[in-house]
Amino acid sequence: MATFINEPSHTFNEYLLIPGYSSSECIPANVSLKTPLVKYKKGETPKITMNIPLVSAIMQSVSGDKLAVALAKEGGVSFIYGSQSIEDEAAMVKRAKSHKAGFVKSDSNVSPEDTLADVIALKEKTNHSTVAVTEDGTADGKLLGIVTGRDYRVSRMELTMKVKDFMTPFDKLIWAKEGTTLKEANDIIWDNKLNSLPIINDEGKLCYFVFRKDYDTHKRNPNELLDASKRYVVGAGINTRDYAERVPALIEAGADVLCIDSSEGFSEWQKLTIEWIRSKYGNDVKVGAGNVVDADGFRFLAECGADFIKVGIGGGSICITRETKGIGRGQATALIEVCEARNKYFEETGVYIPVCSDGGIVYDHHLTLALAMGADFIMLGRYFARFDESPTNKVNIGGTYYKEYWGEGSNRARNWMRYDLGGDKKLSFEEGVDSYVPYAGRLKDNVALSLSKVKSTMCNCGALTIPELQQKAKLTLVSATSIIEGGAHDVIQKEKSTAIK
């Protein structure tokens, strides 16, 4: 007979935190959300520490290079999706890594033979007013000039006029050489009252722009997560099939950390993948593994050499693994058991392996519950899919804007490698759905709001750090009636749209 666990598994929504004593020091401004991303030995410092405990899911509809940059600016890490060609994923990683803090790759480029109509069309597409004129019209061609709104007037010029006839030519530009620091570039901008400064290499080819407006943006991102070369920290997803070709390409592109993307990680496939990485790169390449839902799964991946371990099967908003295959576990119960196993492993070996909670987050307060239950950081899909920076389309349905969001196990993604059990190279049945999520605007605004709630709750528990929260937190299960009582009830709510502004 099967082994029976008679205790029901629980989700985050079935728990509440009980407030603890809060000293006068417990204010949100004093809270630190720093957390380790990869394993480390007792007394040592992790190779990568995040400034916020959030990472984005390895999904086509979530983690592209734009979101990777936006999340790194806030202090987290995005794992660029691996269900694409090796070349395309490596290119995404490279674009994110080349987007140095304050140094921007030009995405508005024309050649001198293009026309004013081309410039106007490009501005409508990118919404950027500074257009680089390069010899071949590419982002890294030889810089011949720039075009801004001051260089043309649509009402006074023919749309067929060539760019070379109205651009500001190179000999009238102020520019700087590659290798100029951000501080030096900003000094040049301020001293010469510029809106932008092109950065070129020894061959005269365009490398980056530094913009005046980005100076304030940089100051507004004190938590941005950078590597030793002042580049944004970027993660990338891999699978257990083509790792021998994909991993080298991602490492060469600059990926800081990898993660095996699989619906179920308690398998020899993950062991073989990690063993291959260790044989080729030793411990220099950091790789997470998963997903698991119990202590046995954690211990297996820990002994395989995983740098962090993901927890969660079937709890994602677009995941139907539990419906189609009948496997999984309530996210809260799975997380609690795995984190207990993590702590036991640390006591035995002196090696701390961070745990990532993946799935089951519905409300912002679930983030705090996951951290209190032992998670070092949280992977989110639906949450990030709603933002401007995710790679999906924004659509208008009935007067309301939504973003497209689909699972890696859906027919749309057809990511068979994520669900591969060594059989045919195909997706035999769906384990994810194709859907929409309400559009929510910029990542920065939403992350700031969510984390302000986390910090406030931590203060209610008397904790100023995540480890302190895990030490002091008191959790209680709640009944179905208590869950109803926890929201607004027994009142007629006023419509927000009719509120006095």
Side-chain angles (χ1 to χ4, degrees), residues 73-87:
K73 284 182 178 179
E74 301 309 307
V77 172
S78 183
F79 285 88
I80 290 175
Y81 67 92
S83 53
Q84 57 180 320
S85 72
I86 295 172
E87 295 75 18

Side-chain angles (χ1 to χ4, degrees), residues 216-278:
D216 291 332
T217 301
H218 182 63
K219 291 297 183 182
R220 289 197 300 268
N221 296 323
N223 285 327
E224 59 186 2
L225 193 60
L226 306 175
D227 65 16
S229 300
K230 304 297 182 185
R231 301 176 302 174
Y232 291 119
V233 173
V234 179
I238 61 173
N239 61 72
T240 58
R241 279 293 187 116
D242 64 8
Y243 52 83
E245 295 80 34
R246 190 174 294 269
V247 170
L250 296 175
I251 296 304
E252 184 179 354
D256 298 278
V257 58
L258 306 175
C259 183
I260 302 172
D261 183 27
S262 175
S263 65
E264 202 279 297
F266 196 173
S267 76
E268 188 177 6
W269 305 109
Q270 297 223 356
K271 179 181 180 181
L272 294 172
T273 303
I274 297 172
E275 284 179 347
W276 184 90
I277 292 172
R278 294 290 174 248

Side-chain angles (χ1 to χ4, degrees), residues 118-140:
D118 295 321
V119 171
I120 293 170
L122 188 60
K123 182 179 178 181
E124 289 177 354
K125 178 182 178 182
T126 65
N127 202 31
H128 294 162
S129 58
T130 299
V131 178
V133 184
T134 60
E135 197 169 53
D136 57 3
T138 65
D140 52 6

